[in-house]
Amino acid sequence: MRRVQLVVRGVVQGVGFRPFVAGLARRLGLGGMVRNDAGAVVIELEGPRDALDVFADSLMRDRPPLAVIDSVTTRELAPTGEATFHIDASGEAVGRRTSIPPDVATCDACLREMRDPGDRRFNYPFLNCTHCGPRFTIIQSLPYDRATTTMRRFEMCGACRREYEDPENRRYHAEPTACPVCGPHVWFEAPGAARVERDAAVRAAQDWLGQGRIVAVKGIGGFHLACLAESDAAVAALRARKGRGDKPFALMVPTMEMVRALCEVGSDEAVHLRSRARPIVLLRRRADAGAATVSRLVAPGQDHLGVMLPYSPLHHLLLEDRPLVMTSGNRSDEPIAKDNDEAREKLAGLADAFLFHDRDIHTVCDDSVIRVFRGEPLPVRRSRGFAPFPVRLPFEVPPVLAVGGELKATFCLAQGRDAYLSQHIGDMETVETLAAFERAVANLSSLFDIAPSMVAIDPHPGYLSSRWAAVWARERRLPVVPVQHHHAHHGAAMAEHGLGPDARVIGVVFDGTGYGLDGAVWGGEVFVGGYAEVRRVARLKNVMLPASDVDVRHGYRLALAHLAAAGLPWDEALPAVQACPARERALLAQRFARGVSMVTSSSMGRLFDAVSSLVGVRHVSAYEAQAAIELEAVAATADGADPSAAGGYAFGLVDREGLLEMDPTPVLRAIAADVKAGVPVPVIASEFHEGVARGVRAVVQSTRVQSTSGSVRSAGASAPATTVVLSGGVFQNVRLLGRTVDLLTAGGFRVLTHRLVPPNDGGLSLGQAVCGARSAQAAPAQDAAGDG
């Protein structure tokens, strides 16, 4: 007989792991115990060697569906003769760092119970089990037990307690389990109307939605604002109240059949729609949607809809047979409301009524958004269903806090080989969002017991996240490590693909804005290097662009600036010139000539905005990247629809003292000529996309040639880089991404794209963490506690 102790680390709390272990041990006739420790699950087993071997194999092979095992440490113990197996009380060991599962969509077994009139949980909005339900948003501290969640105030009834204690039951030690007798309940409030409770509350919300009203619905990670997706009036009212402009709304659709009636759904998209994470998936809208229509106001000017399936019992009960707009419960640029009183105060002017419940939300978590690129997720926003699941790092890092950028803010807490990315926080442009950011940092730091020894930031002097981090670090006398914006994108792509600490790749990073080392606005960059350092080997040619946020929204101003930089006339036959009033045009000409409020920029994102206006697609944007998104949509309608059929406008390539430049002048000249010649806009848009992809190929091939000659070789490198990472928000454009991948792959390169974190600034904090940690080992960090 042997007795062994197993310490299992990974996502092993809150996923039914202890019940699984107990059931497996009992079936094999093993004695011992299992308990949640602060940083792991600890198992002690006693029995014959053969049975212990079978247990070890089954632990890895048959683990619960939500469990992820990172490591198992085994040590021998002295046998005690214990013949029975039990679940022990959770430990309180020092060092609480363990992985917390994200919130998980309702499983099929729970849905069957909810729909069964004979089941005691019939139509209950809060049923769950060990395989589904809230996790991250209700956990207040570790170890994970009911007493450390927002469910602690709901004492289990006798029936729920028996299930909870029955090893054969699906709810064995399911910490959030509840029923109508003992658990949370839902109610409906509307001005001037009596409060309506429980089942009648859901029916009241359905009635109000059916009348074209807007209802604030408390969910798992915060409030949604809901309205009928088919109603132009309701969608227009919601858009006006939120001040949302033309930014698309997300849809929640009751069934996969209805999704297929609305959108083109491939097998890969279907897998992600039905996944436990239940993200919003961007799907191409069907032209022949027929009766299964939604208002065009849901996504103006878009050929895609953002669609998700219901992921909580309350959603399933509420939706009936019609899709709803389900957008974040907040005013534009503010954090999502999560508490009932907060919603009454902040959403009163947005919602006509409220569907509340009394299960508190500890952590706000917005819906995740993905595109699907060749079967794999291309994250646009990583939040509910994914956060705070860690990215496993290819090397050890010290405890580090990385605070991300300004837009699509996330932060990253990393230690050892785990990088915990926060949920989506929002754009760091208001004090309310900063306060939400600070609360989230404190929450994750406490949950994972990570005390940072350094802080990584974006060097942009105006970023609120960086200014906050400098103060936070100074108070704790911690060093601050600036990581250049595009280097962080480069590092994030490397890290999520598990490239080692000394790996060296070519990084193509295209986005809208990033603070450059020379003080210019970068955004069309090609690097060679790794985590600790990179060398800028190529860029989009610098142009002088108007600098303000208002200028960036006015694509025609960017178009005129690019024409001026290329030495091309402001021909009134061009849509961008027509869109600019004559008086404004005269003022812009003076401003450009004098260089007033202008910045030097190599931004590929701004070039997309300029071309969108130049061809007449979008002159003024209401939200970030609108012009580029619509240009991509137009390109998809080109005759033949095969991107490879386009010849592509050719960029000039110029060597500027060892720095290769992609010159857009010939591209702009050709576009202007084609516009005036009456070439269809979709054809021009397609040719532009192809030209950018071919320009990337030419630059990367040239970089490989230079690397072979040694001019861009990093210190200690002995071979040219043949792996390319593609990052930055421009590579959310799947038409451009696909062609770039194909052309580089055909050229003999290994090409890596994002699958775990967004290519946009939502993934920036991961890159800051790994690059900051590696570069800190190579050079002294700026000491936030010092005089400077």
Side-chain angles (χ1 to χ4, degrees), residues 737-752:
L737 182 64
R739 285 300 295 147
T740 304
V741 169
D742 288 345
L743 291 170
L744 291 176
T745 301
F749 292 93
R750 176 191 181 206
V751 186
L752 303 178

Side-chain angles (χ1 to χ4, degrees), residues 312-342:
S312 79
L314 182 57
H315 294 149
H316 285 278
L317 293 171
L318 181 65
L319 256 67
E320 295 185 294
D321 59 353
R322 291 189 290 190
L324 297 179
V325 166
M326 292 287 265
T327 191
S328 304
N330 60 347
R331 296 184 183 275
S332 293
D333 302 324
E334 290 187 1
I336 299 170
K338 72 178 181 70
D339 300 321
N340 294 339
D341 289 342
E342 178 189 11

Side-chain angles (χ1 to χ4, degrees), residues 622-640:
Y623 58 90
E624 187 200 13
Q626 181 180 8
I629 290 168
E630 293 181 2
L631 188 67
E632 178 190 2
V634 168
T637 66
D639 290 342

Side-chain angles (χ1 to χ4, degrees), residues 421 599 758:
L421 265 73
V599 294

Side-chain angles (χ1 to χ4, degrees), residues 572-640:
E572 293 196 12
L574 299 174
V577 180
Q578 297 168 13
C580 184
R583 176 172 172 76
E584 182 179 350
R585 210 181 308 157
L587 292 173
L588 284 174
Q590 295 177 22
R591 180 178 166 190
F592 293 174
R594 296 172 181 171
V596 176
S597 189
M598 303 285 283
V599 294
T600 303
S601 174
S602 59
S603 169
M604 182 62 76
R606 297 292 83 86
L607 179 61
F608 268 80
D609 295 341
V611 170
S612 185
S613 177
L614 195 59
V615 300
V617 171
R618 169 62 56 178
H619 298 301
V620 181
S621 294
Y623 58 90
E624 187 200 13
Q626 181 180 8
I629 290 168
E630 293 181 2
L631 188 67
E632 178 190 2
V634 168
T637 66
D639 290 342

Side-chain angles (χ1 to χ4, degrees), residues 335-668:
I336 299 170
K338 72 178 181 70
D339 300 321
N340 294 339
D341 289 342
E342 178 189 11
R344 290 187 184 98
E345 175 188 351
K346 293 188 174 181
L347 304 184
L350 304 181
D352 300 308
F354 296 85
L355 188 60
F356 289 119
H357 63 72
D358 57 351
R359 184 178 67 201
D360 290 340
I361 298 168
H362 180 65
T363 301
V364 172
C365 201
D366 205 349
D367 296 315
S368 295
V369 183
I370 69 168
R371 300 189 80 167
V372 178
F373 176 68
R374 299 184 177 175
E376 297 289 344
L378 177 64
V380 176
R381 184 168 72 203
R382 184 184 187 270
S383 202
R384 179 194 49 77
F386 299 99
F389 191 79
V391 175
R392 190 69 172 158
L393 299 180
F395 52 88
E396 298 267 341
V397 299
V400 56
L401 168 65
V403 297
E406 189 84 344
L407 301 180
K408 302 176 178 65
T410 66
F411 62 88
C412 178
L413 280 163
Q415 181 172 318
R417 300 189 72 168
D418 289 321
Y420 299 94
L421 265 73
S422 74
Q423 70 276 28
H424 170 79
I425 306 295
D427 293 347
M428 294 283 285
E429 298 176 329
T430 65
V431 293
E432 292 84 1
T433 306
L434 177 61
F437 182 92
E438 190 167 12
R439 288 192 299 270
V441 169
N443 181 45
L444 284 196
S445 298
S446 174
L447 282 177
F448 298 128
D449 197 31
I450 295 177
S453 61
M454 59 177 289
V455 179
I457 66 168
D458 190 294
H460 194 297
Y463 278 5
L464 193 57
S465 58
S466 298
R467 300 205 308 269
W468 172 86
V471 174
W472 191 89
R474 185 178 301 115
E475 291 171 347
R476 292 158 178 79
R477 301 192 66 82
L478 298 177
V480 173
V481 180
V483 180
Q484 197 278 326
H485 188 92
H486 303 94
H487 184 194
H489 279 303
H490 176 104
M494 290 180 66
E496 76 162 71
H497 283 278
L499 301 185
D502 299 317
R504 175 175 166 274
V505 303
I506 299 170
V508 182
V509 185
F510 288 172
D511 63 3
T513 299
Y515 189 71
L517 297 178
D518 56 2
V521 175
W522 290 9
E525 313 309 315
V526 181
F527 299 127
V528 171
Y531 299 107
E533 61 179 356
V534 292
R535 183 176 301 178
R536 189 188 194 198
V537 296
R539 70 180 181 201
L540 185 67
K541 182 182 178 181
N542 279 340
V543 297
M544 295 298 293
L545 294 180
S548 73
D549 290 343
V550 173
D551 290 323
V552 170
R553 289 195 295 272
H554 286 72
Y556 62 77
R557 296 183 185 179
L558 302 175
L560 267 57
H562 271 282
L563 289 173
L568 299 174
W570 291 355
D571 193 321
E572 293 196 12
L574 299 174
V577 180
Q578 297 168 13
C580 184
R583 176 172 172 76
E584 182 179 350
R585 210 181 308 157
L587 292 173
L588 284 174
Q590 295 177 22
R591 180 178 166 190
F592 293 174
R594 296 172 181 171
V596 176
S597 189
M598 303 285 283
V599 294
T600 303
S601 174
S602 59
S603 169
M604 182 62 76
R606 297 292 83 86
L607 179 61
F608 268 80
D609 295 341
V611 170
S612 185
S613 177
L614 195 59
V615 300
V617 171
R618 169 62 56 178
H619 298 301
V620 181
S621 294
Y623 58 90
E624 187 200 13
Q626 181 180 8
I629 290 168
E630 293 181 2
L631 188 67
E632 178 190 2
V634 168
T637 66
D639 290 342
D642 178 7
S644 64
Y649 298 120
F651 283 79
L653 293 179
V654 181
D655 191 327
R656 301 283 186 189
E657 299 179 352
L659 181 65
L660 196 63
E661 286 188 341
M662 292 176 62
D663 183 358
T665 298
V667 173
L668 295 166

Side-chain angles (χ1 to χ4, degrees), residues 1-6 30-31 44-53 56 74-82:
M1 301 289 284
R2 294 174 63 208
R3 187 177 182 91
V4 297
Q5 182 189 77
L6 307 180
L30 297 170
E44 291 187 9
L45 299 166
E46 187 162 339
R49 181 181 298 274
D50 289 349
L52 292 174
D53 290 342
T74 305
R75 72 183 180 99
E76 295 287 335
L77 301 175
T80 65
E82 187 174 13

